[in-house]
Every structure is written in structure tokens, then in C-alpha cells.
Amino acid sequence: MKAEEDRKCIVSGKVLPKEEMLRFTLTPDNLVVPDFKKKLSGRGIWLQNSKQALILAINKNLFSKVVKKNVKAQTELVDMVESLLKKRCLSALSLARKAGVLVTGFEKVCDAIKKDKVAFVVEAQDAGADGHEKIVRLARDLKIFHTFKIEELDQELDKVNTVHIALLYGDMAKAVYNEFSRLESFLKS
């Protein structure tokens, strides 16, 4: 990893690859905002991808300390970041569907897993226990994300009762996997 691709977290002091961090910047009126696409102007303020680290940064006023001026990092920033990360995941799923690399429905997902075509699985949080157990047994070493409820998946994919989703191998699956991993990491730590 190149040194210019690494950034220092304002909470932990750890130097990590940019892909493992969240970037924030300031608006002209000194409000802290997320800049995950790294397109907003201004100096980037980097934080490890962690909900707890973000809460700590807000509570200890670390954004102000880093930029050496009074800035506003509101507590709503935590919910905003979580919402943006979720939106990125759902948008990535929608793109994968349009690209034809997304399979939905229990039987179709099971069939794709049996044919060794699946990179990973997304299962609704509110999936039934019986279907969940069958998918877990069949998927063996495949990563299964449980990030969204059926209603959220239905709305994004314009389907009804979307419980099981398989992403087929390929570059698109890697991009979707990265988004889901980022959200999962944020929520867990």
C-alpha cells in the first residue's frame, strides 16, 4: 500500500488505507459533513470506519481540534453516515440487478449456490428460520449479509417478498461486497 493512500484516524491515531476509513470535510459555514465519494472541496478529515469512533469524535469535539477552529459536528451525523452507507449498499444491489448479476428467490439462490456461481448472499434480517438454516447449510463458506429487512429490499429492487439474494461472481459482485462490508464494519465497531 502506498503511503499517499493511507490516512490517519483522528480518534485512534491509526494510519490505515483510505478504503478502510470515512472522509469528512467542512461546509463553508463550518458544518462537518461526510464526503465518501471524496469529491467535496476542502481538507479531508479521516476517521476509521466505525460508528463508535464517530460518536467519540463528536462527543470529544475532535473535528474542531483537528482543524483548529470551532466546527459543528452534530449528533445527527451518526445517523446520516449510517443512512448514507445503507443507501450505497441498496444502490449497489440495484445496479447489480440491472447488470444481470443478481439472483433473487429462495429456489433460484439455492440453484446458483449449487452450481458454484455465487460470490456471496444477502438475506433479509426478517427471513424465516427454516429458509435461513437451509441457506446457511448450503452456502457453507459463503459470506451471508443480514443488513436489511424484506421491505427495504423489496422497495429497492421493485419486487415483492425479497428474502434471499445471490450475487454472481464478477467485478460487480466485488463492488457490492465492498459496500456491504463497509456498512457491516461501521455498524459492528
Side-chain angles (χ1 to χ4, degrees):
M1 184 66 51
K2 296 178 184 176
E4 63 265 11
E5 297 297 318
D6 295 342
R7 296 292 184 263
K8 186 176 181 178
C9 174
I10 65 169
V11 173
S12 68
K14 292 180 185 175
V15 176
L16 300 167
K18 288 194 297 190
E19 297 79 34
E20 296 176 21
M21 303 192 71
L22 301 173
R23 183 182 192 271
F24 297 86
T25 192
L26 301 176
T27 63
D29 58 343
N30 291 326
L31 182 66
V32 177
V33 294
D35 182 23
F36 302 154
K37 292 183 180 180
K38 301 165 187 76
K39 297 205 182 230
L40 297 177
S41 63
R43 176 180 173 215
I45 305 166
W46 295 86
L47 186 70
Q48 66 190 53
N49 185 24
S50 161
K51 188 174 191 174
Q52 293 306 315
L54 179 55
I55 291 168
L56 193 61
I58 293 168
N59 291 341
K60 290 192 171 190
N61 202 24
L62 295 180
F63 290 102
S64 289
K65 291 177 184 174
V66 167
V67 296
K68 296 180 173 94
K69 64 181 175 179
N70 192 22
V71 300
K72 295 172 253 176
Q74 301 169 336
T75 53
E76 295 85 22
L77 188 60
V78 176
D79 292 335
M80 182 190 304
V81 168
E82 184 174 333
S83 177
L84 286 171
L85 291 173
K86 284 183 175 182
K87 185 176 180 180
R88 288 173 63 108
C89 287
L90 291 171
S91 294
L93 275 181
S94 184
L95 283 174
R97 177 176 172 246
K98 290 174 185 170
V101 296
L102 183 137
V103 175
T104 60
F106 181 77
E107 294 300 328
K108 290 179 183 177
V109 168
C110 288
D111 187 49
I113 292 171
K114 289 175 187 173
K115 292 179 179 175
D116 197 30
K117 294 181 176 183
V118 177
F120 67 95
V121 174
V122 175
E123 181 181 59
Q125 292 173 345
D126 44 350
D130 57 334
H132 170 73
E133 291 302 320
K134 289 176 185 174
I135 289 290
V136 167
R137 274 195 309 274
L138 192 58
R140 291 181 298 268
D141 296 331
L142 289 176
K143 174 70 177 169
I144 302 174
F145 290 100
H146 299 97
T147 314
F148 298 98
K149 294 186 177 189
I150 294 170
E151 183 180 331
E152 294 170 298
L153 296 171
D154 285 351
Q155 187 174 356
E156 186 61 37
L157 299 176
D158 197 24
K159 291 191 169 271
V160 177
N161 201 27
T162 310
V163 180
H164 297 97
I165 301 170
L167 276 288
L168 306 179
Y169 285 113
D171 290 339
M172 180 64 76
K174 290 176 192 170
V176 176
Y177 184 89
N178 289 341
E179 294 297 342
F180 272 80
S181 293
R182 175 174 258 202
L183 174 60
E184 184 177 74
S185 176
F186 178 77
L187 295 173
K188 284 186 177 179
S189 52

